[in-house]
Amino acid sequence: MKTFGAPPEAVDGMRRAPVWATFESVAPTLAYDAAVMGDGSVPTERATSVAVPTLVIDGGASPQWMREAADAVAGVLPTSQRLTLDGQTHDVAPDVLAPALRQFFLA
């Protein structure tokens, strides 16, 4: 499963999850995801042209590469705010995410 970077033991766990059929149904799109992502680097040159205020969020329990990508994006966006949600992963809990979004959009 190199395309999306999950270690074999994670894939084994996903196979036993009730959502596995959904994962299988979207598996063909991974090739498109890989094509869009190219070499996986952050498109910093394009990001510098984003003119709207942007909140870049990651989870404190997310993989290091995701955190580094969030740092890279926030570092080049001209009007970004950076936020790490402690204890959260890519699958952030709605009750944790909602207050962060509310604060950003109502500020």
Side-chain angles (χ1 to χ4, degrees):
M1 285 280 166
K2 186 174 182 176
T3 300
F4 82 108
E9 56 274 9
V11 175
D12 289 341
M14 287 187 277
R15 281 193 172 121
R16 291 188 293 277
V19 73
W20 180 251
T22 301
F23 290 159
E24 281 188 312
S25 73
V26 298
T29 68
L30 291 176
Y32 301 110
D33 293 346
V36 168
M37 294 304 295
D39 65 2
S41 63
V42 175
T44 54
E45 188 173 310
R46 281 185 82 181
T48 60
S49 68
V50 176
V52 296
T54 306
L55 177 61
V56 180
I57 303 175
D58 73 335
S62 291
Q64 187 62 33
W65 68 267
M66 285 185 177
R67 303 192 68 210
E68 290 170 0
D71 285 340
V73 169
V76 296
L77 288 170
T79 58
S80 70
Q81 292 180 35
R82 179 75 172 86
L83 177 64
T84 295
L85 300 173
D86 293 331
Q88 298 297 303
T89 63
H90 182 67
D91 186 23
V92 63
D95 63 317
V96 175
L97 182 59
L101 294 176
R102 188 176 300 112
Q103 181 177 356
F104 176 75
F105 287 114
L106 294 178

Short mmCIF file of all heavy atoms in Angstrom, two decimals, residues 58-64 67 84-90:
data_model
loop_
_atom_site.label_atom_id
_atom_site.label_comp_id
_atom_site.label_asym_id
_atom_site.label_seq_id
_atom_site.Cartn_x
_atom_site.Cartn_y
_atom_site.Cartn_z
N ASP A 58 -3.57 20.61 12.07
CA ASP A 58 -3.17 19.21 12.10
C ASP A 58 -3.51 18.64 13.47
O ASP A 58 -3.91 19.38 14.37
CB ASP A 58 -1.68 19.03 11.79
CG ASP A 58 -0.78 19.47 12.94
OD1 ASP A 58 -1.20 20.31 13.74
OD2 ASP A 58 0.35 18.98 13.02
N GLY A 59 -3.41 17.34 13.57
CA GLY A 59 -3.63 16.67 14.85
C GLY A 59 -2.31 16.35 15.50
O GLY A 59 -1.38 15.89 14.84
N GLY A 60 -2.23 16.59 16.79
CA GLY A 60 -0.99 16.31 17.51
C GLY A 60 -0.59 14.85 17.50
O GLY A 60 0.56 14.51 17.70
N ALA A 61 -1.55 13.95 17.23
CA ALA A 61 -1.27 12.52 17.16
C ALA A 61 -1.21 12.03 15.71
O ALA A 61 -1.20 10.83 15.46
CB ALA A 61 -2.33 11.74 17.94
N SER A 62 -1.16 12.96 14.76
CA SER A 62 -1.04 12.59 13.36
C SER A 62 0.39 12.17 13.06
O SER A 62 1.31 12.54 13.79
CB SER A 62 -1.41 13.78 12.45
OG SER A 62 -2.79 14.06 12.54
N PRO A 63 0.59 11.46 11.95
CA PRO A 63 1.96 11.09 11.57
C PRO A 63 2.81 12.34 11.36
O PRO A 63 2.30 13.39 10.95
CB PRO A 63 1.77 10.33 10.25
CG PRO A 63 0.36 9.86 10.27
CD PRO A 63 -0.41 10.89 11.05
N GLN A 64 4.08 12.21 11.63
CA GLN A 64 5.01 13.34 11.52
C GLN A 64 4.98 13.99 10.15
O GLN A 64 5.03 15.21 10.04
CB GLN A 64 6.43 12.88 11.87
CG GLN A 64 7.44 14.01 11.96
CD GLN A 64 7.13 15.03 13.05
OE1 GLN A 64 6.58 14.68 14.10
NE2 GLN A 64 7.44 16.28 12.81
N ARG A 67 2.24 16.49 9.90
CA ARG A 67 2.54 17.69 10.68
C ARG A 67 3.54 18.57 9.95
O ARG A 67 3.43 19.80 9.92
CB ARG A 67 3.02 17.29 12.07
CG ARG A 67 1.94 16.39 12.74
CD ARG A 67 2.14 16.15 14.17
NE ARG A 67 1.93 17.42 14.85
CZ ARG A 67 2.54 17.74 15.97
NH1 ARG A 67 3.38 16.92 16.53
NH2 ARG A 67 2.31 18.90 16.54
N THR A 84 -2.51 23.19 16.04
CA THR A 84 -2.42 21.75 16.27
C THR A 84 -3.45 21.38 17.31
O THR A 84 -3.51 21.99 18.38
CB THR A 84 -1.01 21.35 16.76
OG1 THR A 84 -0.06 21.62 15.72
CG2 THR A 84 -0.94 19.87 17.12
N LEU A 85 -4.26 20.38 16.99
CA LEU A 85 -5.28 19.89 17.92
C LEU A 85 -4.68 18.71 18.69
O LEU A 85 -4.52 17.61 18.15
CB LEU A 85 -6.54 19.47 17.16
CG LEU A 85 -7.20 20.60 16.36
CD1 LEU A 85 -8.33 20.05 15.50
CD2 LEU A 85 -7.69 21.69 17.28
N ASP A 86 -4.31 18.98 19.93
CA ASP A 86 -3.65 17.96 20.74
C ASP A 86 -4.47 16.69 20.85
O ASP A 86 -5.69 16.73 21.00
CB ASP A 86 -3.37 18.50 22.15
CG ASP A 86 -2.34 19.62 22.15
OD1 ASP A 86 -1.47 19.62 21.26
OD2 ASP A 86 -2.40 20.48 23.04
N GLY A 87 -3.78 15.56 20.74
CA GLY A 87 -4.42 14.27 20.90
C GLY A 87 -5.24 13.81 19.72
O GLY A 87 -5.81 12.72 19.74
N GLN A 88 -5.32 14.60 18.67
CA GLN A 88 -6.15 14.26 17.51
C GLN A 88 -5.29 13.69 16.38
O GLN A 88 -4.10 13.97 16.28
CB GLN A 88 -6.90 15.49 17.01
CG GLN A 88 -7.87 16.06 18.01
CD GLN A 88 -8.97 15.08 18.36
OE1 GLN A 88 -9.70 14.60 17.50
NE2 GLN A 88 -9.09 14.77 19.65
N THR A 89 -5.93 12.91 15.53
CA THR A 89 -5.28 12.38 14.34
C THR A 89 -5.94 13.03 13.13
O THR A 89 -6.67 14.00 13.26
CB THR A 89 -5.47 10.85 14.26
OG1 THR A 89 -6.86 10.56 14.12
CG2 THR A 89 -4.90 10.16 15.49
N HIS A 90 -5.72 12.43 11.97
CA HIS A 90 -6.36 12.91 10.73
C HIS A 90 -7.88 12.79 10.85
O HIS A 90 -8.62 13.55 10.25
CB HIS A 90 -5.84 12.09 9.54
CG HIS A 90 -6.38 12.51 8.22
ND1 HIS A 90 -6.08 13.73 7.65
CD2 HIS A 90 -7.20 11.88 7.36
CE1 HIS A 90 -6.70 13.82 6.49
NE2 HIS A 90 -7.38 12.72 6.28
#
